[in-house]
Every structure is written in structure tokens, then in C-alpha cells.
Amino acid sequence: MENKSKLSKLYICIPFALFCCFLWGSAFPSIKVGYKLFDIGAEDSYSQILFAGIRFFLAGAMVILVGSLMQKRVLYPKGKTEFGKVALLSLFQTILQYTLFYIGLAHTSGVKSSILIAVNVFFSILVSTLVFRIEKLTAQKAIGAVVGFVGIVVINLSADGFGGGFAFNGEGFMILSSLAYSVSSVLIKKFSDKSGTVMLSGWQFLFGGAFMMLFGFAAGGRITQVGGVKGVLMILYLAFISAAAYTIWGILLKHNPVSKISVIGLMNPVFGVILSAIFLGETAEAFSLKNLLALLLVCVGIVVVNIKFDKS
């Protein structure tokens, strides 16, 4: 039962989930910096896909290697059933989500992207309750998600409204990326009942990364420069973000309701805005009263959704 696992306790799952959110939040400015180090232009979509493929292939190798060492056996999908799970999970979690994400991020700011990606909380709750029906949609979950999302809107309010402008290949792709992520969250929740979460995470990254590399290269994408030591360290850090965050997140989803964990993901854009402000200089208001209010609303949303789940 889920509630018998220590990972279902709020004082354990929330710190781990927040660590994942910090890693994901750092990805927004890191990818932007990576584009500069690898000399990948905003319009060079296929090179962006190739760059993403390299990241996720490395992430998959990291997860499989570390997981195999920890479990003292080689982790791999067994039989057609597990290969099918890996392929389907990889389609949504890596191929679709990150093809859309990388192209979308190149056509909008790191701050705005971190805001828009927060809609995955709503999508995750709706997909898990209305599509897959693995949990019930309650007023508590809906209210908590709405309160948290209001905080996400507040953090991006400016003189020109919600960041100014909307492009389908920018903001539109970021929203579609969130939808793909939400489906993958429910899939890993369902699949991990009978298959190892670490195995699924590692192989779906490896498969998805290989596919994206081949597709990006075949379509004309090229990496013409690496950016020296900084470039190598950046791609390794981006791989670590995926390897660590998604594996931990998947384990948390295995032992908790999707809505409980997904709403904590509202912290992603909070970290994303702050880190984008620090490393990209996209806003001078990262630590303003407005952003503190937004953080408070996000925290309230997390508490509202989770408060009744702690049965310790």
C-alpha cells in the first residue's frame, strides 16, 4: 500500500520533490547558456533536438549505470511488455516533451517558459483523474492547484501583462510540452507497479535520446562547436538534472498520488524565474515583494492539496 511507504510521508517526499524542482528550475537558464556555448541559434530547431538527444542519451546511461551498480545487477527491460512500456514512456516523457520544450524555449524567455510549463500541474491532475481515473478529482485538489497557479501568474505580472506576446512555436510548444509531461507522469505511476522505476527511467531516456540524436542529425542538425570545458560540463550537468530529478520524481510518484506530487511541481517556475534572473539577467525583480507573494501562494497551494494525505 502507498501509505505504508516512508516516501509517502510529507516530511520525506516534499524535500526530495523540492530538490527535483530546483534541478528542473536550473535547466531553464542552463539550456539557454548551453545554446550559446554550442553556438546553436534560436531558429536551428534540428540542432536543438540533436543537443537535447545528446543530453538525454547521457542521462539514460547515467541512470542505468548507477542503478545497476546499486542493485548489483544489469538493469534492462525484460520481454515485449517492458520494452513496450519503455517505448511508450519514452515517446511522451522524452521525445515529445523535450522536442517541444527545446524548440519552445528557443523562442521565448527562460522566465516566461518557467511560468508556462507550470500548467503541467493542471494537466497531470486532469489526466490522472478524468482520463486514466487512477484517483478522484476533489475540490481540495482543484482549489490547491488553482491557488498555486495564481502564484505562478503573479510572479510573471509586469507592465505589459503576461510577458507580452504569444507564438505557437514558443509559448504554444511549451504548453504542449507540459501536456506530454503530464501523460508521462501518469504512465510511470501505472508502469512502476510491476516494473522498476529506475530501469524505466534510464532506458526511456536512452531510447528517447538516441531517437532524438538520429532524427536531429538526419534532418540537418549539427553541433559545430562544444564550447570547451564549460560546454562539456554544461551538457554533463544537464544530463545529471534529468538522471537525478526524473528518477527521484518517478520513485515518489510510485508511492504517492499523482496530484500530491505534481502540485509540488509548481515550485519549478519559482526556481526557474529566480535562477533565470540570476544567470540570464532577464529580470531585476527576482526577490521582489511580488515574487515573495507568488512563492507564498504556491506554498499554500501545495499545503491545500497535501494536507489530508499525511496519515502518519
Side-chain angles (χ1 to χ4, degrees):
M1 296 294 289
E2 286 179 350
N3 59 2
K4 291 185 179 180
S5 170
K6 290 183 178 180
L7 288 172
S8 68
K9 307 299 183 183
L10 290 181
Y11 65 87
I12 293 178
C13 74
I14 287 182
F16 276 110
L18 288 176
F19 174 66
C20 294
C21 292
F22 173 82
L23 289 177
W24 280 322
S26 71
F28 293 97
S30 296
I31 292 170
K32 288 278 192 179
V33 172
Y35 285 159
K36 292 180 180 179
L37 291 172
F38 284 74
D39 193 28
I40 299 174
E43 303 301 323
D44 194 355
S45 298
Y46 296 122
S47 293
Q48 293 159 15
I49 294 172
L50 175 59
F51 179 73
I54 294 170
R55 170 194 176 184
F56 296 121
F57 186 85
L58 290 173
M62 287 181 183
V63 174
I64 294 168
L65 177 60
V66 174
S68 297
L69 290 173
M70 291 181 66
Q71 297 187 29
K72 297 180 180 179
R73 62 185 181 88
V74 179
L75 300 181
Y76 63 94
K78 299 176 181 178
K80 293 182 179 180
T81 299
E82 288 200 331
F83 271 105
K85 290 179 180 178
V86 167
L88 187 59
L89 188 59
S90 181
L91 174 63
F92 285 97
Q93 185 165 317
T94 299
I95 297 171
L96 286 178
Q97 180 190 177
Y98 280 104
T99 296
L100 294 165
F101 180 89
Y102 269 68
I103 296 174
L105 185 60
H107 293 87
T108 188
S109 70
V111 168
K112 195 171 183 182
S113 297
S114 66
I115 306 302
L116 291 170
I117 209 73
V119 299
N120 65 42
V121 174
F122 289 102
F123 286 147
S124 294
I125 292 176
L126 292 175
V127 169
S128 65
T129 58
L130 301 181
V131 180
F132 287 90
R133 299 182 183 278
I134 61 175
E135 57 181 283
K136 293 181 179 180
L137 178 62
T138 64
Q140 177 184 346
K141 294 173 185 177
I143 292 171
V146 170
V147 171
F149 191 71
V150 168
I152 300 308
V153 173
V154 168
I155 204 172
N156 198 47
L157 288 178
S158 60
D160 59 349
F162 187 58
F166 183 95
F168 182 71
N169 65 345
E171 291 80 0
F173 274 23
M174 297 304 292
I175 293 173
L176 291 175
S177 173
S178 293
L179 179 58
Y181 162 80
S182 302
V183 174
S184 76
S185 293
V186 178
L187 289 177
I188 199 166
K189 168 75 174 178
K190 289 174 64 69
F191 293 164
S192 61
D193 285 342
K194 296 183 179 180
S195 300
T197 306
V198 177
M199 183 279 293
L200 289 172
S201 181
W203 280 94
Q204 72 84 19
F205 273 136
L206 198 74
F207 178 80
F211 179 89
M212 292 176 76
M213 281 195 295
L214 290 172
F215 175 77
F217 186 82
R222 295 292 185 270
I223 301 296
T224 57
Q225 72 176 42
V226 178
V229 176
K230 289 183 179 180
V232 173
L233 292 176
M234 181 58 71
I235 196 70
L236 289 175
Y237 176 68
L238 285 168
F240 169 76
I241 289 174
S242 298
Y246 272 109
T247 301
I248 295 172
W249 198 260
I251 293 171
L252 292 175
L253 284 170
K254 179 178 181 178
H255 296 285
N256 294 276
V258 173
S259 57
K260 175 181 177 180
I261 298 302
S262 294
V263 76
I264 302 174
L266 286 168
M267 288 298 296
N268 286 358
V270 175
F271 286 123
V273 167
I274 293 173
L275 294 173
S276 291
I278 293 172
F279 293 104
L280 300 179
E282 291 183 346
T283 176
E285 301 180 356
F287 305 103
S288 66
L289 180 61
K290 175 192 69 175
N291 288 358
L292 292 175
L293 173 61
L295 177 59
L296 175 62
L297 289 170
V298 168
C299 291
V300 169
I302 292 171
V303 171
V304 169
V305 170
N306 283 285
I307 193 168
K308 290 184 179 181
F309 286 113
D310 189 10
K311 301 184 183 297
S312 57

